[in-house]
Amino acid sequence: MAKITMREAISQALWEEMERDESVFIMGEEVGIWGGTYAVTRGFYDHFGEKRVRDTPIAEMVIVGAANGAAMAGLRPVAELMTINFAFVAMDQIVNQAAKLRSMFGGQFTLPLVIRTVGGGGRQLAATHSQTPDAVFAHFPGLKVVAPGTPHDAKGLLKSAIRSDDPIMFIENATLYQVRGEVPEEDYLEPIGVSKVQRAGDDVTIITYSKMLQYSLDAAEELAKDGIEAEIVDLRTLRPLDMKPVIDSFKRTNRAVIVEEGWRSYGVGAEVAARLYEEAFDYIDAPIRRVAQKEVPLPYNQALEQEALPQREDIIEAVKGIV
Amino acid sequence: MDKENMLDLFREMVLIRHLEERAAELYQEGKIGGFLHLYIGQEAVASGIIAAREPRDRILTAYRDHGVAIAAGIEAKVVMAELLGKKTGTSHGFGGSMHMADVDKNYWGGHAIVGSHLPFAAGMAFADQYREEDNVTICFFGDGATNIGFFHEALNLSAVWDLPVLWVCENNQYGMGTAVKRASALEEIHKKADGYGIPNSRVEGMDVMKVYEAARDAIEHVRNEGPYFLEIMTYRYEGHSMGDPERYRSKEEVGQWEENDPVGIFRTFLLDGGHAGEDELNRLEEGVIDEIQEAVKFAEESPEPTWEDLINTVYVEEYRDEQWPR
Ligand SMILES: Cc1ncc(C[n+]2csc(CCOP(=O)(O)OP(=O)(O)O)c2C)c(N)n1
Ligand SMILES: [Mg+2]
């Protein structure tokens, strides 16, 4: 198996699906001639042409809105929002429209839409450009929210997302594009809505996803030095939330730490913890801990930004507090 | 337009009028819930425009959508069933008054967030262009919708990408209670299209034949040359929605517009032009009254949608979460 970067994995998924299916096209700001703000679609414009690689005006409402219309009309748009922060400008089209259109019209049509976007902090871009609001989107029934943490999953999940007939937010993380991982040479898919154990262990269950998966893996190596074996369950999809592997693991470890990059209140950790209380109450041996972003608008100042973001040490500390 | 088509068009406008009047009654009786926006006074717009489309041309509109639904060829009983929230309605009872669609008739709704459907229209037209199909997408919206961002983003994109969209602004003079001049920097709304290089015109909207002729030319233009913008001058006789106290306009003003009733104007046109006799038109109207009665009966006797029906509309594919949709 070849080791490739997250960027390459995502790019390959897009490329292969466009080769496979003429109805797939990409649209967004700077996806074409520029080659994608994060260089994910470099070479696409020359290969697939202007018809299928559509540079758009800086107009998020109509990027998602026209993608909604194109999907209703039977195409399979992959609409790119340059960063997830700009998704708020298109909020109506995402949560009022994409999430609801099919149901509200009685299921008359499908909405095979993928919104590709990227979030995450830690790059000194200050408050408006550093958010991780994944849980916001996961709140809405009708959407699916996918946020992979490895190149393997990114490729397999994006390919599934493009083939899916449901509207999907596909959330990447800006600091993961250089992360390398093994990716099969042959065509493969990863199922949407299926959590995955990324590391086995018996002492504590760490539930996480996206960039925090990488942090959790690092933290787990540190913990292992102290004889603590953490099992890591990668949610990979926030909606649907597949709790089965989480609960199975928790029933063995009886301890859980939930790690997310976004803010704590009303977040992924809150949801997962509530589900554990509901479905595995008898197995709880210690308080369920959350590691998350401190609740401030992220500052430009590097030290303070890192202070606010969850760190590997926070994960280690949270685990040590309950084992 | 030949005589038969004119009489069909007349019948359709009368059907919309009666359907809306009956809907108002059913609302008062508590049989229709939610918001109800009536199309009375604006019949000539939907009827005139849609008479000029080919079946392959797509239609979208806002929440004032029953008249457009009828003009798009949806049966009155199916509209009525949706108003009553029944499974046999356009949207199986999940959309209600504001969200009617019938994809088989190329009628894509019925959208209640002001302006939100204009981007859809651009995207649908893009899909047709992408597949090299020469369909036109006809997108209706109100005067008020021309002040929201969606409008500007969608018009701009339609021009930049040369999309086959006919933009149809139904200028009924008010967005809820706000007169056009109090909300729009330009009172001649069609001139907003100039800002995007989209050819445009303003048309008298109480005369269905004038609307039809303008639409025919505009659709021709869109099919061959790209987007076009029509501003249709019209007026709604009823409140914005049920229960509107109408403090923003006078009875005299409404009365003046009622003298230009689109149904009355067309009736006179048909009679004076020798296209039809009084008896013929009266018979058509009686047929409409029967049809509405049957539509209400059909709707009342139709089954309610089930919880299962609802769940099946939310996702197409497997949804692995034992708690959902609890
Ligand atoms: C984004 C949004 N803001 C506000 C409303 C509430 N609202 C519903 S209809 C309406 C007026 C729209 O006027 P216009 O576009 O002229 O259409 P008309 O009702 O006259 O047909 C408003 C403000 C809404 N539905 N959506
Ligand atoms: Mg209006």
Side-chain angles (χ1 to χ4, degrees):
Chain A
M1 256 195 279
K3 272 205 162 188
I4 62 171
T5 62
M6 192 90 159
R7 172 183 288 111
E8 286 163 335
I10 294 166
S11 182
Q12 284 178 7
L14 281 170
W15 187 282
E16 289 170 18
E17 291 307 301
M18 286 182 76
E19 288 285 12
R20 201 182 63 82
D21 182 352
E22 184 73 28
S23 67
V24 178
F25 72 101
I26 59 182
M27 62 187 290
E29 294 158 20
E30 310 299 347
V31 297
I33 291 174
W34 186 291
T37 311
Y38 294 93
V40 170
T41 54
R42 191 168 289 166
F44 280 56
Y45 186 85
D46 290 340
H47 182 76
F48 293 105
E50 185 164 25
K51 176 186 168 188
R52 300 183 64 196
V53 184
R54 309 291 302 200
D55 281 319
T56 64
I58 308 160
E60 280 74 13
M61 292 192 267
V62 81
I63 292 172
V64 182
N68 277 333
M72 286 161 85
L75 296 186
R76 309 189 81 84
V78 180
E80 179 174 325
L81 292 174
M82 192 179 273
T83 85
I84 201 164
N85 306 285
F86 314 146
F88 295 123
V89 175
M91 212 56 181
D92 172 76
Q93 288 293 338
I94 300 169
V95 308
N96 271 338
Q97 312 302 332
K100 299 176 173 59
L101 279 165
R102 180 177 141 78
S103 179
M104 199 169 58
F105 292 107
Q108 290 185 57
F109 47 80
T110 57
L111 204 88
L113 166 72
V114 177
I115 299 171
R116 260 195 68 229
T117 188
V118 43
R123 297 184 307 141
Q124 286 196 270
L125 296 175
T128 61
H129 277 57
S130 304
Q131 299 173 94
T132 311
D134 313 350
V136 170
F137 298 94
H139 184 65
F140 292 93
L143 291 179
K144 290 185 176 176
V145 178
V146 179
T150 66
H152 176 280
D153 288 346
K155 182 170 179 184
L157 284 165
L158 182 53
K159 287 171 72 103
S160 293
I162 293 171
R163 294 186 201 186
S164 168
D165 282 334
D166 291 317
I168 294 173
M169 282 285 283
F170 190 88
I171 305 176
E172 299 160 21
N173 189 294
T175 61
L176 284 186
Y177 285 125
Q178 297 296 356
V179 167
R180 284 181 181 274
E182 289 190 343
V183 172
E185 308 277 337
E186 68 278 3
D187 194 26
Y188 71 100
L189 298 174
E190 281 294 321
I192 287 166
V194 179
S195 305
K196 178 175 165 186
V197 176
Q198 300 274 21
R199 184 189 196 279
D202 288 327
D203 299 323
V204 60
T205 304
I206 297 177
I207 302 111
T208 187
Y209 72 98
S210 188
K211 180 184 184 177
M212 290 299 123
L213 167 65
Q214 298 294 338
Y215 276 31
S216 299
L217 287 166
D218 294 346
E221 292 312 309
E222 287 301 313
L223 288 164
K225 291 176 190 164
D226 293 333
I228 300 169
E229 292 299 337
E231 181 143 297
I232 299 180
V233 185
D234 178 3
L235 298 173
R236 303 196 297 175
T237 305
L238 301 182
R239 178 179 280 281
L241 180 59
D242 174 24
M243 282 296 289
K244 189 152 185 314
V246 176
I247 290 167
D248 288 350
S249 174
F250 185 71
K251 284 183 176 174
R252 279 189 293 105
T253 64
N254 312 109
R255 287 167 171 77
V257 173
I258 308 146
V259 188
E260 65 190 305
E261 185 176 339
W263 290 304
R264 172 185 308 253
S265 300
Y266 311 100
V268 175
E271 177 63 25
V272 171
R275 301 267 195 131
L276 288 173
Y277 283 113
E278 285 165 352
E279 304 201 355
F281 185 72
D282 292 341
Y283 297 85
I284 300 174
D285 279 357
I288 295 167
R289 296 283 185 217
R290 287 181 284 169
V291 175
Q293 190 174 137
K294 296 196 178 76
E295 300 200 346
V296 291
L298 277 187
Y300 164 72
N301 178 278
Q302 192 175 26
L304 290 176
E305 183 184 29
Q306 291 303 323
E307 168 80 32
L309 288 167
Q311 305 293 346
R312 295 168 182 84
E313 296 71 44
D314 300 327
I315 302 171
I316 293 167
E317 200 183 306
V319 169
K320 287 190 171 167
I322 56 169
V323 293
Chain B
M1 201 183 274
D2 64 22
K3 175 187 159 166
E4 202 184 322
N5 287 336
M6 282 191 217
L7 292 188
D8 283 350
L9 199 57
F10 177 76
R11 187 182 191 283
E12 177 184 297
M13 289 169 65
V14 174
L15 180 63
I16 295 171
R17 177 71 54 98
H18 281 273
L19 178 111
E20 295 293 60
E21 286 171 350
R22 191 74 185 91
E25 290 168 8
L26 290 167
Y27 192 88
Q28 306 294 6
E29 292 166 25
K31 290 188 175 153
I32 296 174
F35 290 147
L36 183 72
H37 307 86
L38 302 177
Y39 202 58
I40 296 173
Q42 297 179 220
E43 294 92 341
V45 186
S47 289
I49 300 274
I50 294 172
R53 76 144 175 178
E54 301 287 338
R56 68 179 189 281
D57 297 333
R58 304 172 188 276
I59 298 164
L60 297 96
T61 189
Y63 44 82
R64 199 177 296 286
D65 62 346
H66 320 153
V68 182
I70 294 291
I74 300 175
E75 287 179 272
K77 65 178 189 183
V78 181
V79 170
M80 202 54 97
E82 189 61 33
L83 290 172
L84 268 60
K86 297 300 181 74
K87 183 169 178 162
T88 51
T90 54
S91 309
H92 307 325
F94 304 142
S97 161
M98 303 193 286
H99 309 100
M100 298 196 183
D102 184 343
V103 169
D104 293 336
K105 301 235 160 36
N106 240 328
Y107 177 47
W108 295 88
H111 300 277
I113 301 290
V114 168
S116 65
H117 63 294
L118 278 74
F120 304 161
M124 290 188 165
F126 172 73
D128 288 329
Q129 183 190 63
Y130 189 94
R131 290 185 293 232
E132 292 171 26
E133 287 164 2
D134 75 339
N135 313 334
V136 168
T137 296
I138 302 168
C139 182
F140 295 86
F141 48 89
D143 47 280
T146 70
N147 303 316
I148 198 166
F150 292 125
F151 170 88
H152 298 275
E153 293 195 11
L155 254 70
N156 183 56
L157 194 76
S158 75
V160 175
W161 287 6
D162 199 23
L163 300 173
V165 187
L166 175 58
W167 301 112
V168 181
C169 176
E170 298 193 59
N171 184 346
N172 64 4
Q173 329 281 333
Y174 296 91
M176 292 189 70
T178 306
V180 169
K181 65 167 171 291
R182 295 180 58 230
S184 177
L186 277 180
E187 269 189 79
E188 282 186 72
I189 287 174
H190 66 102
K191 288 187 176 169
K192 292 184 179 180
D194 285 338
Y196 303 102
I198 297 175
N200 56 80
S201 51
R202 183 182 244 197
V203 178
E204 156 61 42
M206 304 310 259
D207 181 339
V208 70
M209 293 316 288
K210 282 191 187 148
V211 176
Y212 167 73
E213 279 156 26
R216 207 183 42 200
D217 295 347
I219 289 171
E220 177 82 7
H221 174 99
V222 174
R223 218 181 296 285
N224 298 312
E225 289 169 62
Y228 193 89
F229 190 104
L230 277 177
E231 177 186 11
I232 315 283
M233 302 306 290
T234 183
Y235 200 81
R236 71 169 150 71
Y237 292 164
E238 304 300 320
H240 167 71
S241 57
M242 301 301 288
D244 170 0
E246 296 186 57
R247 276 190 279 269
Y248 50 86
R249 64 182 186 182
S250 65
K251 288 213 163 58
E252 291 69 41
E253 180 184 305
V254 180
Q256 268 169 13
W257 279 91
E258 278 173 345
E259 283 167 26
N260 286 320
D261 177 3
V263 177
I265 289 176
F266 197 33
R267 178 176 256 275
T268 309
F269 169 86
L270 292 172
L271 294 174
D272 291 357
H275 304 291
E278 283 278 2
D279 288 354
E280 211 170 357
L281 298 185
N282 290 344
R283 265 201 309 280
L284 284 178
E285 197 147 359
E286 281 158 24
V288 162
I289 291 166
D290 290 346
E291 186 176 341
I292 295 295
Q293 217 157 34
E294 271 164 40
V296 175
K297 187 164 179 288
F298 170 84
E300 286 184 329
E301 289 171 359
S302 285
E304 305 278 345
T306 64
W307 180 249
E308 197 69 30
D309 293 331
L310 175 60
I311 298 316
N312 286 336
T313 63
V314 183
Y315 293 104
V316 183
E317 278 146 23
E318 193 202 351
Y319 192 91
R320 195 194 292 213
D321 177 351
E322 277 155 25
Q323 285 208 0
W324 185 78
R326 229 187 293 161

Short mmCIF file of all heavy atoms in Angstrom, two decimals, chain B residues 63-64 112-114 142-145 148 172 174-176 240, ligand 1:
data_model
loop_
_atom_site.label_atom_id
_atom_site.label_comp_id
_atom_site.label_asym_id
_atom_site.label_seq_id
_atom_site.Cartn_x
_atom_site.Cartn_y
_atom_site.Cartn_z
N TYR B 63 -43.91 31.01 -1.89
CA TYR B 63 -44.95 30.35 -1.08
C TYR B 63 -46.35 30.67 -1.56
O TYR B 63 -47.31 30.02 -1.15
CB TYR B 63 -44.79 30.81 0.37
CG TYR B 63 -44.57 32.30 0.35
CD1 TYR B 63 -45.64 33.18 0.25
CD2 TYR B 63 -43.27 32.82 0.27
CE1 TYR B 63 -45.42 34.53 0.09
CE2 TYR B 63 -43.05 34.17 0.11
CZ TYR B 63 -44.13 35.02 0.02
OH TYR B 63 -43.93 36.36 -0.16
N ARG B 64 -46.52 31.70 -2.39
CA ARG B 64 -47.87 32.04 -2.90
C ARG B 64 -48.08 31.17 -4.14
O ARG B 64 -48.09 31.63 -5.27
CB ARG B 64 -47.90 33.54 -3.25
CG ARG B 64 -49.31 34.12 -3.35
CD ARG B 64 -49.27 35.63 -3.64
NE ARG B 64 -48.66 36.40 -2.56
CZ ARG B 64 -49.23 36.67 -1.39
NH1 ARG B 64 -50.45 36.24 -1.13
NH2 ARG B 64 -48.59 37.36 -0.47
N ALA B 112 -40.56 28.82 0.78
CA ALA B 112 -41.07 29.82 1.72
C ALA B 112 -40.01 30.68 2.40
O ALA B 112 -40.37 31.59 3.13
CB ALA B 112 -41.91 29.14 2.79
N ILE B 113 -38.76 30.41 2.16
CA ILE B 113 -37.74 31.35 2.63
C ILE B 113 -37.57 32.33 1.47
O ILE B 113 -37.14 31.93 0.39
CB ILE B 113 -36.42 30.64 2.97
CG1 ILE B 113 -36.60 29.59 4.06
CG2 ILE B 113 -35.36 31.67 3.36
CD1 ILE B 113 -36.89 30.09 5.44
N VAL B 114 -37.90 33.58 1.72
CA VAL B 114 -37.96 34.54 0.60
C VAL B 114 -36.64 34.53 -0.19
O VAL B 114 -35.57 34.73 0.38
CB VAL B 114 -38.30 35.96 1.09
CG1 VAL B 114 -38.07 36.98 -0.02
CG2 VAL B 114 -39.74 36.01 1.57
N GLY B 142 -41.48 37.44 -5.73
CA GLY B 142 -42.16 38.71 -5.48
C GLY B 142 -41.24 39.90 -5.60
O GLY B 142 -40.02 39.77 -5.72
N ASP B 143 -41.84 41.08 -5.55
CA ASP B 143 -41.06 42.33 -5.54
C ASP B 143 -40.13 42.36 -4.32
O ASP B 143 -38.97 42.78 -4.41
CB ASP B 143 -41.98 43.55 -5.53
CG ASP B 143 -43.09 43.41 -4.50
OD1 ASP B 143 -44.09 42.72 -4.80
OD2 ASP B 143 -42.95 43.95 -3.39
N GLY B 144 -40.67 41.89 -3.18
CA GLY B 144 -39.88 41.93 -1.95
C GLY B 144 -38.62 41.08 -2.05
O GLY B 144 -37.58 41.42 -1.47
N ALA B 145 -38.70 40.01 -2.81
CA ALA B 145 -37.56 39.09 -2.94
C ALA B 145 -36.39 39.71 -3.69
O ALA B 145 -35.27 39.20 -3.63
CB ALA B 145 -38.01 37.81 -3.63
N ILE B 148 -33.29 40.80 -1.41
CA ILE B 148 -32.50 39.88 -0.60
C ILE B 148 -31.30 39.39 -1.41
O ILE B 148 -31.33 39.35 -2.64
CB ILE B 148 -33.38 38.70 -0.08
CG1 ILE B 148 -32.71 37.99 1.11
CG2 ILE B 148 -33.69 37.71 -1.18
CD1 ILE B 148 -33.64 37.06 1.88
N ASN B 172 -46.44 42.86 -7.06
CA ASN B 172 -47.81 43.12 -6.58
C ASN B 172 -47.81 44.31 -5.62
O ASN B 172 -48.70 44.46 -4.80
CB ASN B 172 -48.41 41.86 -5.96
CG ASN B 172 -47.66 41.40 -4.71
OD1 ASN B 172 -46.73 42.07 -4.25
ND2 ASN B 172 -48.06 40.27 -4.16
N TYR B 174 -46.39 45.20 -2.94
CA TYR B 174 -46.05 45.09 -1.51
C TYR B 174 -45.31 43.79 -1.20
O TYR B 174 -45.61 42.76 -1.80
CB TYR B 174 -47.32 45.11 -0.64
CG TYR B 174 -48.09 46.39 -0.71
CD1 TYR B 174 -49.11 46.55 -1.65
CD2 TYR B 174 -47.80 47.45 0.15
CE1 TYR B 174 -49.82 47.74 -1.73
CE2 TYR B 174 -48.51 48.64 0.08
CZ TYR B 174 -49.51 48.79 -0.87
OH TYR B 174 -50.21 49.96 -0.95
N GLY B 175 -44.40 43.86 -0.26
CA GLY B 175 -43.87 42.67 0.39
C GLY B 175 -44.44 42.72 1.80
O GLY B 175 -44.07 43.62 2.57
N MET B 176 -45.35 41.85 2.13
CA MET B 176 -46.19 41.95 3.32
C MET B 176 -46.80 43.35 3.33
O MET B 176 -47.57 43.67 2.43
CB MET B 176 -45.40 41.65 4.60
CG MET B 176 -45.00 40.17 4.67
SD MET B 176 -44.30 39.60 6.23
CE MET B 176 -45.73 39.66 7.30
N HIS B 240 -51.84 39.84 2.78
CA HIS B 240 -50.62 39.07 2.50
C HIS B 240 -50.85 37.59 2.78
O HIS B 240 -50.54 36.72 1.99
CB HIS B 240 -49.47 39.59 3.35
CG HIS B 240 -48.28 38.67 3.35
ND1 HIS B 240 -47.48 38.52 2.24
CD2 HIS B 240 -47.80 37.83 4.30
CE1 HIS B 240 -46.54 37.62 2.52
NE2 HIS B 240 -46.71 37.19 3.75
C1 LIG C 1 -35.78 35.22 4.42
C2 LIG C 1 -37.18 35.56 4.82
N1 LIG C 1 -37.42 36.71 5.51
C3 LIG C 1 -38.68 37.02 5.86
C4 LIG C 1 -39.73 36.20 5.56
C5 LIG C 1 -41.15 36.57 5.98
N2 LIG C 1 -41.92 36.94 4.77
C6 LIG C 1 -42.72 36.07 4.16
S1 LIG C 1 -43.41 36.70 2.79
C7 LIG C 1 -42.65 38.18 2.98
C8 LIG C 1 -42.88 39.26 1.96
C9 LIG C 1 -42.37 38.91 0.60
O1 LIG C 1 -42.88 39.81 -0.35
P1 LIG C 1 -42.80 39.57 -1.90
O2 LIG C 1 -41.51 38.97 -2.26
O3 LIG C 1 -43.16 40.85 -2.58
O4 LIG C 1 -43.92 38.46 -2.21
P2 LIG C 1 -45.52 38.57 -2.08
O5 LIG C 1 -45.88 38.10 -0.71
O6 LIG C 1 -45.90 39.95 -2.34
O7 LIG C 1 -46.05 37.59 -3.09
C10 LIG C 1 -41.87 38.17 4.12
C11 LIG C 1 -41.11 39.32 4.63
C12 LIG C 1 -39.43 34.99 4.89
N3 LIG C 1 -40.38 34.09 4.61
N4 LIG C 1 -38.18 34.72 4.50
#
